[in-house]
Amino acid sequence: MSQKLAKESFRSVFKVVDKESLRWFPGHMGKGLKQMQQRLKKVDCVMEIHDARIPFSGRNSDFKYTISGIKPHILILNKVDLIDSRIKKQIETKLKNECEHVIFTNCKLSNDAGVKKLFPLAQELINKSDRYNRSGEEDFCVMMIGVPNVGKSSLTNCLRNRFLRKGNASQVGARPGITRSVLMKIKISEKPLSYMLDTPGILTPNIPNTEVGLKLALCNTIEDHLVGETTIADYLLYWLNKFQHFEYVQVFGLKEATDDILEVLTQIALNNGKMLKFKDPSAGMYVQRPNLDAAAKLMIKSFRIGELGKLMLDEEFL
Ligand SMILES: Nc1nc2c(ncn2[C@@H]2O[C@H](COP(=O)(O)OP(=O)(O)O)[C@@H](O)[C@H]2O)c(=O)[nH]1
Ligand SMILES: [Mg+2]
């Protein structure tokens, strides 16, 4: 059976057996959001960071009610190294009515073009804005926000390092002996004097349905154990088949594309020597079977490090 022919035999929807297990997050942010709203008052520009593999899924826009139309807002799509660069323009166009300023970044790259653009853009937008309650302040202040694991800390470090590399040796964030928790701001530019809040704001992902939850889990934004590795791996397989990304067949050493997660996990376990040994009382001897949980972890990892191709999980929205 060829991979193309196999398409008809793949699942057309992804069914999750245990609906209760899908309550991954409490639906509200409560105290965290209130604190963030307080901090937002002290900044001139909000840098919202999200994972480029899910540009339309999982973003939490609650903060917008505080800043909408008041403070400049830049949407940063990080981990751009993991998607096909040819679709960047399409993503940007699609997001235009939500956010005018979209920047793609790769924090793994020193001197990344997107990272370089960020500060000049923020300064330009702040200069154009009326700065609301901060018009009396001379220094600029920026805050980074986003859901877990999208790269807030990495980007903060990139921006800090860029500034330090320019020969600004003794900056607030670079002095040894100062505990991070005491630091409130990191200087990222001298002229105009600009700071970034040291601790990024962590948003709770927005999960309107199961598929968004599973995409967020694949991108490591929800902890794996909350969803279950096998469920995440099965969703990945479903998604790869649905969008005809068959690189996995070769990567996992399969004979052909399949919709059967047990078949895939068994093969991955065998390839990687992930076996469980246990005593079979009826036979009175030790037997081995594939460790499917370990295999599921390996499968998810393959996706996360880009082994299965440059994949953008929101493909259906383009
Ligand atoms: N491939 C890739 N990985 C990244 C990038 N930026 C961050 N990461 C990785 O994503 C993970 C989460 O990053 P972190 O900065 O801790 O995210 P935070 O939770 O938002 O602060 C880490 O393993 C980083 O190494 C990027 O641009 N590309
Ligand atoms: Mg962090």
Side-chain angles (χ1 to χ4, degrees):
M1 185 168 53
S2 83
Q3 285 162 3
K4 289 279 173 222
L5 279 177
K7 192 190 171 196
E8 283 71 45
S9 61
F10 296 139
R11 290 165 283 183
S12 56
V13 286
F14 186 77
K15 288 204 182 82
V16 183
V17 189
D18 181 7
K19 285 256 190 264
E20 280 305 304
S21 71
L22 298 177
R23 300 207 178 144
W24 296 309
F25 272 107
H28 61 94
M29 297 168 59
K31 196 170 157 228
L33 183 64
K34 282 216 179 73
Q35 273 174 355
M36 196 180 305
Q37 283 168 338
Q38 285 306 315
R39 292 170 73 202
L40 282 169
K41 284 188 190 151
K42 299 194 176 85
V43 304
D44 305 292
C45 176
V46 177
M47 290 189 179
E48 179 198 351
I49 173 163
H50 200 60
D51 193 314
R53 291 169 297 177
I54 41 170
F56 313 111
S57 290
R59 286 173 55 217
N60 183 326
S61 315
D62 285 356
F63 70 93
K64 274 191 129 177
Y65 300 112
T66 354
I67 62 148
S68 191
I70 303 169
K71 314 234 169 174
H73 168 211
I74 300 172
L75 174 59
I76 298 160
L77 292 176
N78 188 39
K79 310 197 185 187
V80 67
D81 52 305
L82 296 176
I83 68 162
D84 185 341
S85 57
R86 288 170 299 185
I87 59 170
K88 276 161 64 181
K89 214 65 260 123
Q90 269 171 282
I91 294 175
E92 212 180 325
T93 310
K94 189 100 187 127
L95 282 167
K96 266 276 141 62
N97 46 7
E98 264 189 73
C99 183
E100 207 184 322
H101 309 285
V102 178
I103 302 256
F104 291 90
T105 56
N106 172 6
C107 290
K108 296 267 177 194
L109 196 69
S110 64
N111 233 8
D112 176 63
V115 175
K116 271 203 249 178
K117 271 191 237 162
L118 274 179
F119 240 75
L121 175 63
Q123 284 167 350
E124 183 197 323
L125 297 178
I126 295 169
N127 276 327
K128 276 198 231 156
S129 74
D130 64 6
R131 302 195 72 201
Y132 187 51
N133 56 327
R134 288 188 33 93
S135 51
E137 310 288 333
E138 276 179 20
D139 57 303
F140 290 173
C141 190
V142 170
M143 183 177 173
M144 189 100 68
I145 58 172
V147 304
N149 265 319
V150 289
K152 296 177 297 298
S153 303
S154 306
L155 188 59
T156 305
N157 285 334
C158 276
L159 289 170
R160 187 203 321 245
N161 293 342
R162 265 190 68 72
F163 179 60
L164 293 178
R165 238 187 287 128
K166 285 181 182 166
N168 305 287
S170 62
Q171 294 318 311
V172 201
R175 281 212 301 268
I178 299 181
T179 345
R180 270 186 65 83
S181 61
V182 186
L183 294 174
M184 291 304 292
K185 292 194 247 178
I186 301 164
K187 198 193 279 185
I188 25 163
S189 155
E190 201 78 56
K191 274 183 189 165
L193 189 56
S194 309
Y195 296 97
M196 183 158 66
L197 291 193
D198 184 43
T199 328
I202 301 166
L203 294 166
T204 308
N206 175 26
I207 313 177
N209 58 52
T210 312
E211 271 211 67
V212 169
L214 289 159
K215 287 178 184 180
L216 284 160
L218 266 176
C219 294
N220 212 359
T221 278
I222 301 174
E223 283 180 69
D224 293 344
H225 68 90
L226 290 176
V227 183
E229 278 90 353
T230 313
T231 305
I232 303 173
D234 192 22
Y235 176 74
L236 174 59
L237 181 64
Y238 156 81
W239 187 91
L240 292 168
N241 287 329
K242 183 175 175 184
F243 292 99
Q244 310 234 307
H245 296 292
F246 294 121
E247 288 88 338
Y248 77 86
V249 176
Q250 205 203 336
V251 173
F252 300 142
L254 296 159
K255 277 199 248 19
E256 60 188 11
T258 171
D259 219 3
D260 183 354
I261 188 63
L262 291 182
E263 195 184 323
V264 178
L265 295 182
T266 302
Q267 190 62 48
I268 294 175
L270 291 172
N271 292 347
N272 293 279
K274 298 281 181 197
M275 304 302 283
L276 288 171
K277 210 170 152 192
F278 63 100
K279 197 165 184 179
D280 182 346
S282 59
M285 54 193 254
Y286 280 96
V287 288
Q288 289 198 84
R289 63 175 171 81
N291 184 343
L292 300 180
D293 291 336
K297 286 192 178 113
L298 289 175
M299 183 173 172
I300 296 167
K301 188 177 165 210
S302 280
F303 164 78
R304 289 185 183 153
I305 62 175
E307 260 179 7
L308 304 180
K310 294 197 180 255
L311 306 172
M312 197 281 283
L313 295 174
D314 282 339
E315 218 174 290
E316 72 265 36
F317 298 116
L318 288 184

